[in-house]
Amino acid sequence: MSAGDGAESDRRDSRYRLGILLSGRGSNFLAICDAIADGRIPDATIVAVISDVADAPGLNRAAERGLPAFPIPRGGLTRSEHEAQVEKILDSAGVELVCLAGYMRILSAGFVARWRGRILNIHPALLPKFPGLHVQRRALESGEQESGCTVHFVDEGTDTGPVVLQRRVPVLPGDTEETLSARILAEEHRAYPEAIQKVLRTLPRR
Ligand code: GRF
C-alpha cells in the first residue's frame, strides 16, 4: 500500500456514518447513495439501510449495491419492541445520523429524544404548510401557486422539527397529483444530499 492509499483510507474511515430508514421505493435513498459516490456528500458513508417493509424496493436496491440491508418487519411487535430492534442495528453500526427516506412509521418520543439532532426527514411540501399525508393533493386543492420540499430535523411532532433547507417548484396549470409529485421529487433528490452535507459540517461525532 502506498502512503497515498493510507491517507485515503484514513479519510474514508473518518466519514460520518449514516443510517437510512425507508419503507418503499427508496428513490431518496438512491439519490443520497449517488451523491456520496459522486462526491457531493464527501463526508459520509452509509452503514445501515433498515426497512419495516421486508420487500421494500429500496431495501433490495441497497442489497444490490452491497450495503448492509436490514428488514425489520413490524408484524407482531409493539412499537417499542420494533424500535429496540432498529436501534440495536443503528448502535451496532455506529450510526451518527439517521436519514428517514420515506419511512412510514411514527417514531416514539423516546426514540426521537435519544437521537435528537441526529435524525433528518424529507417531506414533499414547504413546511409548515401541509404536514402529514396526501400533501400534493392538498396543495392542489387549496390553489397553491408553488410547492416544494423540506428537509428538517425530526422532533416529537408530525413534520414539525427545525428546517435545514427547502427547495421550491411552481404549481403549473393542469397539474395533477402525479405531475406535481414528480416535479417535487426531482427537487427532493437534490435537496436531501445538500441538506445532509450541510448538517454534517457541524454535527458532533458520536
Ligand atoms: C418522498 O416523497 C418523501 O418526501 C416522503 O416519502 C416519499 C419517499 O419516496 N417522505 P422515496 O421512497 O424516497 O422514493
Side-chain angles (χ1 to χ4, degrees), residues 134-155:
H134 309 301
V135 295
Q136 293 92 343
R137 189 195 310 165
R138 286 156 55 210
L140 288 171
E141 282 168 0
S142 78
E144 297 295 308
Q145 304 274 309
E146 64 170 5
S147 186
C149 61
T150 304
V151 181
H152 65 96
F153 285 102
V154 173
D155 68 6

Side-chain angles (χ1 to χ4, degrees), residues 24-29 101-102 104 121-124 136 185 188-189:
R25 73 190 155 184
S27 72
N28 277 287
F29 151 64
M104 298 307 287
N121 182 41
I122 186 153
H123 183 76
Q136 293 92 343
L185 191 64
E188 293 185 37
H189 297 162

